[in-house]
Amino acid sequence: PYISKINLTVYDIEGKIITTFINGVKEAGNYSVKWNGEGLPSSVYFVKLNAGGFTQTQKLMLVK
């Protein structure tokens, strides 16, 4: 629970950056973002969160 540099990015299956939601310093707290996949093909995407020394990646499936 402290101020950290935050980076939240969505990548495609080839590792190309699709969207960067947050790239900067944020205070501790709860945040939310909405991702609109309009204009993107159905595929598997990955969302990666870097917060201070913490990193987490999750898989997303976009099905149209």
Side-chain angles (χ1 to χ4, degrees):
Y2 50 89
I3 296 173
S4 296
K5 183 174 184 328
I6 307 294
N7 184 290
L8 182 65
T9 306
V10 177
Y11 298 88
D12 67 8
I13 195 77
E14 296 173 346
K16 294 184 217 167
I17 295 175
I18 301 298
T19 303
T20 299
F21 289 109
I22 301 170
N23 188 16
V25 177
K26 295 280 187 184
E27 292 193 28
N30 294 318
Y31 297 90
S32 64
V33 295
K34 291 186 180 183
W35 181 46
N36 184 352
E38 186 175 336
L40 295 171
S42 295
S43 184
V44 174
Y45 295 90
F46 297 92
V47 61
K48 183 175 180 181
L49 171 65
N50 290 318
F54 175 79
T55 301
Q56 183 174 3
T57 304
Q58 289 189 340
K59 181 171 62 171
L60 305 173
M61 288 187 70
L62 179 62
V63 180
K64 293 185 173 186

